[in-house]
Amino acid sequence: MKITQLTVTNFRLLENITINIEDDITLIVGKNNTGKTSLFEVINLFFDTKNRISFHDFSLNSHDVFKLCDAKFQNELLVEIEDDKKDEIEKSLINDIPKITLSIQVEYDKVKDSLINISDFISDLDDTKSDATILFKYEPKETINLFRSFHNRPNKDVELIEWLNENISSFYTLHVFGGENLIEDHVLTKILSVINFETIQASRKLDDTKMDKNRSLALGFSDYYQNIHGDNNADVESLKDTLKSVSTVLDGKYEKVLEKILEKLKSFGIDKDINIPEIILKSKFDPESIIRNNIKYYYKSGDIELPENYNGLGYSNLIFLVLKIVAFIENFKKNKEKNATEILTILIEEPEAHLHPQMQQVFVEQIRETISKALIEDSIQVQLIISTHSSHMIAEAGLNVKRSFERIRYFNKYKKEDRTIVEVKDFNEFKHKETDKDTFRFLKQYLNLHKCDLFFADKVIMVEGITEKILMPLFIRKVAKQLENEYVSIIEVGGAYTHKFKEFFKFLNTKVLVITDIDSVDAMTNKSCHVLKEMANTSNSTLSTWLPQKTKISELLALTFDEKLDESKIIRVAFQIKEDDGDFVPRSLENAIINCNQTFFKSKYLLEDEIEKEVYKSFSFQKLKNIDELIYMDTSRDQSDVDPSSKQKTDFTFDLMTFDEKGTNLEWKVPKYIKEGLEWLSKNEHLLTVKVD
């Protein structure tokens, strides 16, 4: 028996999402503030007996629905209308008024699983089906009475949303359904007999100071003991017997040490008929309390034993996580044997906290081995739902396994008609996986080895080489400083492979700037040539096959701003173009920088000893001395004469990075094609406004 799907409506950012759950590990990933934590919160709220749901938990989008329902009530039910029309409106209000819901779909095996516990949640008697639904609904007790009470409120200045914030708990209640059937008796007991959620939160109480009062290992080991002490474990029973023997010996010792005070207490009293009762001392040892409070845990370091707080948070957190998971599994195993529950799902929020990349790998290996062992040896299935901001966690748990992308659920946020919508992208539905298996294989391999952080990036810049990647932060600082406040992932991909990311970025709905070289070649010889040479083509496959799907240089240079965007408007290409004050079109980034900084490279500045120095002499690329030779308009010349070598590109990049602009009071400029692209990327009016299918 296992969970196959979770559906949430109207809870905070989660207006309406459905998540398919894997048999073992499901990874919840995405940018900040996309509702990942809300998923865990709604589960924990509904499984909490106190059920502290408030009006703040309703999605912001639901506020408008409340207002529409109230308007319908006042405009139609408060006037004289026919009874059948009135009933129709009442039904409409009951149906439309916002409700916070959590639906848990469970799949069972009719042969292997006992259906006793889940029988209340099976509403469909179709023998061909093998699933059941547990549905939580936070809904009105009386819909019409809610709006009537608001209409009759004493203070008419109080608006609906403000009034609901103060009064909704009086009109809403929690109902649980098994399919369509309302469960009324022993509700929580029946639910827990089917499924148990255990949670390890991100804010774990860990400390590595000398005054460590949390003592995470003590907590972890005592939790583990608590789950196994009733399992007829011979070692546990031996521990109890030993503690009983120690207690008997200590009873006598205590009595001997405190003998005099005990005798004196017998003689005290208020009067002769009321005396202090005789006191008997008994020592009592509880194994769990001893493990938690009376055992000190040490790390072995050579021949020295170091206290728990002397080790880093990483080790403590790793051990704590593993102990908690093992304890959950042991407890589940015990309850399953007693037919007390059927499903265990562990929610782990940001397990990477305090874990460096290698420890994250160890953690994933440990839990994978643990749940696999539980399935093989004990025939129990454990499902883990992990939310993470770690690219290493994705690589280990999501990509380095047989089922790779399929484990990932990507939370994405976009705007539609001024409403913020969160959707869940399931990589089982990534169409490119089937239509182009070579590309899909490339993406898996690339993301595994390089850039899993694309799943968390606000925006992405794709560049061809290391030169662009190194200089990009400087470009951003100069022309698009707003991007420094966002998580921008800069990835280096050769021009021949850039187009392979097309479907991936559309699937993620991430805003992307592709910066590439125009790569002009002679149409006849296919050798590099001047960009403005007649009949020149581009050899760049990104430009010819993806965006903008043009081969002729003349057509590329004639493109308008909008024509450099793809149909979704969230991906834009940038390649070399002429500057505003000239007609030369460079062929490479280095040439573009030189072209737009001719005045800069020809300038002079004073050294500390007042000696004047020419800027170009600060660069090892000595061809800068004759800039006119590099920026030429003779289209018949061989372009290879001015194309810098790889070493020259690298040297030029580092020279540009280390040039003291402040000290010399000289600044270099960003080429126009990159400036335009970064300015477009920094703007957010188009971001998240288009839902890409």
Side-chain angles (χ1 to χ4, degrees), residues 581-608:
D581 55 356
D583 293 321
F584 178 77
V585 180
R587 190 176 185 275
S588 65
L589 171 66
E590 293 75 22
N591 246 27
I593 293 173
I594 295 167
N595 180 41
C596 72
N597 288 286
Q598 296 182 48
T599 302
F600 168 78
F601 286 113
K602 293 176 181 178
S603 300
K604 298 178 181 180
Y605 63 94
L606 292 177
L607 300 174
E608 291 181 1

Side-chain angles (χ1 to χ4, degrees), residues 461-473:
I461 301 174
M462 298 185 74
V463 296
E464 279 197 20
I466 190 64
T467 301
E468 291 93 333
K469 186 173 183 179
I470 292 174
L471 290 176
M472 199 54 61

Side-chain angles (χ1 to χ4, degrees), residues 23 198 251 263 311 326 347 353 388 396 549 616 675 690:
D23 292 352
E198 298 284 6
D251 288 348
E263 286 298 323
N311 218 351
V326 172
L347 309 176
T388 180
E396 292 303 322
Q549 294 186 2
Y616 80 87
K675 181 175 182 290
V690 180

